Amino acid sequence: MFGAVALQTVLGFAIAYLISRRTHGRGLLTTLFLVPMMLSPVVVGLFWRFMLDAQFGVINSMLGSLGLGQVEWLTRQRTALISLILVDTWQWTPFIMLIALAGLTAVPKYLYEAASIDRASEWFQFRTITLPLVWPLLLIAVLFRAIEAFRLFDLVYILTSGGPGSPPRRCRSTSTRSRSWASTPEPPRRTGSS
């Protein structure tokens, strides 16, 4: 899942950089981007499981309308791994974006003003001002996401039912067990003194 963390870092920082450059609608854009992070992993897993379904999924429907064949996203090992990386990236890129956005807004404006007076290019300002000042926060965000990526059991289990190629498992509910136990006779109760 280190590929997912790297992708989340690049996308999260890029989105934060673009949002920090905007003056209008910054709050609304930030709120919209944070929605996937606020959802439960079970909800995200079920949502994407239906989206990536081989027969009835929206993604395969769009691929079919473009004339491309259907893809078994969650049943083959390679496509399941790619699907997991994309779903994890969709859910957790806003976390990196939020921390990077906090770092970008904390950079003093006078540094950019001084650099523009010295006619420094945008790339030079980014490389010598923005990146060094945001790097410590970005490193902490990457560390947190790497730790969290090791605990990615729930999303994998919801999406793939235990792994690509494994048959879906069904759990017996307690009501079924209680009904089967109710049909067995109970031992006689002792009442009174022996």
Side-chain angles (χ1 to χ4, degrees):
M1 293 314 284
F2 291 111
V5 174
L7 186 61
Q8 291 163 23
T9 304
V10 170
L11 287 176
F13 186 76
I15 293 169
Y17 186 74
L18 292 175
I19 288 177
S20 72
R21 312 272 295 178
R22 288 185 60 96
T23 54
H24 299 296
R26 181 187 295 186
L28 179 65
L29 276 175
T30 304
T31 304
L32 288 176
F33 277 114
L34 288 177
V35 169
M37 187 179 78
M38 300 302 169
L39 297 174
S40 165
V42 174
V43 172
V44 171
L46 289 173
F47 172 75
W48 281 99
R49 186 174 176 181
F50 292 128
M51 294 277 288
L52 296 171
D53 187 67
Q55 294 176 348
F56 306 110
V58 176
I59 306 295
N60 273 339
S61 175
M62 289 188 332
L63 289 175
S65 66
L66 294 174
L68 302 172
Q70 291 187 344
V71 178
E72 294 179 7
W73 294 103
L74 301 173
T75 55
R76 298 186 187 254
Q77 188 174 4
R78 177 163 290 205
T79 55
L81 182 61
I82 292 169
S83 300
L84 284 169
I85 289 172
L86 291 177
V87 171
D88 191 53
T89 300
W90 179 80
Q91 185 178 16
W92 290 109
T93 296
F95 176 74
I96 303 283
M97 180 209 71
L98 187 65
I99 294 177
L101 188 60
L104 287 169
T105 55
V107 175
K109 300 294 178 208
Y110 69 86
L111 295 174
Y112 293 115
E113 291 170 0
S116 64
I117 289 172
D118 290 340
R119 296 184 183 193
S121 66
E122 288 284 328
W123 171 246
F124 185 80
Q125 290 179 26
F126 177 78
R127 192 169 44 93
T128 58
I129 298 171
T130 306
L131 202 54
L133 292 177
V134 177
W135 180 252
L137 284 175
L138 204 57
L139 191 61
I140 290 170
V142 168
L143 181 66
F144 283 156
R145 276 303 303 140
I147 292 169
E148 185 68 25
F150 280 115
R151 303 176 3 175
L152 191 68
F153 171 77
D154 46 6
L155 190 62
V156 173
Y157 190 77
I158 296 291
L159 278 173
T160 63
S161 297
S166 65
R169 298 178 185 157
R170 302 205 188 274
C171 297
R172 285 178 65 181
S173 67
T174 55
S175 62
T176 306
R177 279 185 274 181
S178 64
R179 273 189 261 126
S180 65
W181 289 338
S183 62
T184 60
E186 290 186 23
R189 294 185 189 170
R190 292 187 185 181
T191 56
S193 61
S194 314

